[in-house]
Amino acid sequence: MTALGRLAGLVLAVGVLSTPAAAQVADLRSTTQFRVCADPANAPMSSRDGSGFENKLAEFFGQQLGLPVTYFWFPSGMGFVQRTLREGNCDVVIGYAQGDELVQNTNHYYTSVYGIVTRRDGSLAKVDRLSDPALKAVGIGVVAGTPPATHLARAGLAPNMRGADLFVDRRVEDPMGDLLEDVRSGATGAAVLWGPLAGPRVKDDPDLQFTPLLHEEASPRLFFRITMGVRPEEQEWKRELNSLIRRNQDGINQILHDAGVPLVDDYGKEVLP
């Protein structure tokens, strides 16, 4: 599993692939609908009520293709790819980490990064790297098993970490919201979270801010290029989506920017304007 496959919310985790299923999916793509595989409760990415930024991207892509958008809902986590793409219930995952072997990736259409959430008026407001000595005096929220946990441990901050579970049913639990509320209340001083999950939540928050982590040199990397995921056999579909991305990058960026997703260059070094 790639590092991003272990991210909170974003990212969509491992499914068990079977060879018979793989052999039978070549002709499953709908030509009359833009069929999206999505988690119904993975805000701010995807939501059954259509409020997520991946929902808005799906509507945008559907408009460009001239197809109505329909969804097959299934919770992120074990078995997601098998139950959605591989069984032919839908044709595209809107957000998927580049390089994950469970799907065929399109060209990436944005790059984002982990960052640190702090109070705007707090003593940690200017912290922009995990080696900052100020972090040694506070509790730090982090999703267990995600890349920043390794960086925090390497910086000697393992005793400070307050972990949240990665694989939960977000229809009934909200670990991201809990971590943010801990920072707001002062229970922890900071939380280190994936930008597309945290950025939209604090975009208009009067108390909290998100600072991208652009200066971490050691592995694992904290930035990831995000693609759409399709079935491995569907080369023509991938090329069609690649063309869609290339011709509509400005519109895609605007949707992400409006949502509060922190966009960075392809190497995670600079924030895009």
Side-chain angles (χ1 to χ4, degrees):
M1 191 191 308
T2 65
L4 187 56
R6 298 187 293 272
L7 295 179
L10 177 286
V11 199
L12 304 167
V14 187
V16 178
L17 303 184
S18 64
T19 301
Q24 297 172 11
V25 297
D27 298 319
L28 292 180
R29 178 169 69 93
S30 172
T31 59
T32 60
Q33 303 171 65
F34 186 58
R35 301 193 304 164
V36 176
C37 320
D39 187 323
N42 196 23
M45 292 182 172
S46 63
S47 177
R48 190 182 292 272
D49 66 8
S51 62
F53 67 80
E54 289 186 355
N55 299 108
K56 293 178 172 61
L57 287 169
E59 292 295 332
F60 179 72
F61 297 147
Q63 290 171 8
Q64 303 308 311
L65 292 166
L67 297 175
V69 178
T70 60
Y71 286 94
F72 183 81
W73 303 107
F74 194 81
S76 305
M78 191 67 69
F80 179 87
V81 171
Q82 175 66 25
R83 293 293 302 276
T84 58
L85 277 180
R86 303 301 292 188
E87 292 185 2
N89 292 309
C90 43
D91 302 317
V92 61
V93 180
I94 295 296
Y96 215 101
Q98 187 181 65
D100 195 294
E101 67 278 7
L102 295 178
V103 303
Q104 178 178 204
N105 298 110
T106 65
N107 294 340
H108 71 284
Y109 62 93
Y110 77 95
T111 304
S112 194
V113 66
Y114 275 91
I116 185 165
V117 176
T118 57
R119 288 191 60 91
R120 295 179 185 272
D121 60 358
S123 61
L124 303 179
K126 294 185 178 180
V127 171
D128 64 357
R129 60 193 72 210
L130 299 180
S131 58
D132 193 307
L135 293 175
K136 294 185 180 296
V138 300
I140 304 168
V142 64
V143 176
T146 58
T150 300
H151 288 260
L152 290 168
R154 186 184 295 121
L157 297 172
N160 303 53
M161 287 193 284
R162 307 291 184 265
D165 290 335
L166 171 58
F167 296 119
V168 300
D169 187 341
R170 293 180 180 84
R171 293 169 296 183
V172 295
E173 297 184 56
D174 183 17
M176 178 71 61
D178 293 342
L179 291 176
L180 294 177
E181 187 56 38
D182 284 347
V183 178
R184 188 191 315 281
S185 69
T188 58
V192 184
L193 302 169
W194 175 230
L197 286 172
R201 289 206 182 198
V202 304
K203 175 177 180 283
D204 300 314
D205 193 295
D207 300 319
L208 303 180
Q209 65 179 17
F210 177 89
T211 303
L213 290 169
L214 306 176
H215 308 296
E216 307 300 320
E217 299 293 342
S219 59
R221 61 193 169 98
L222 297 184
F223 68 94
F224 294 90
R225 299 165 187 164
I226 303 302
T227 73
M228 288 185 272
V230 300
R231 284 177 283 269
E233 300 82 0
E234 295 178 338
Q235 297 293 326
E236 182 179 347
W237 180 218
K238 181 187 74 171
R239 288 191 290 269
E240 186 173 353
L241 291 172
N242 283 342
S243 177
L244 175 74
I245 292 167
R246 184 178 63 254
R247 291 182 284 109
N248 293 281
Q249 189 64 64
D250 288 346
I252 292 168
N253 287 354
Q254 189 64 56
I255 292 170
L256 294 168
H257 174 77
D258 290 347
V261 176
L263 303 179
V264 298
D265 64 31
D266 285 351
Y267 302 98
K269 297 300 184 184
E270 295 184 8
V271 175
L272 298 185

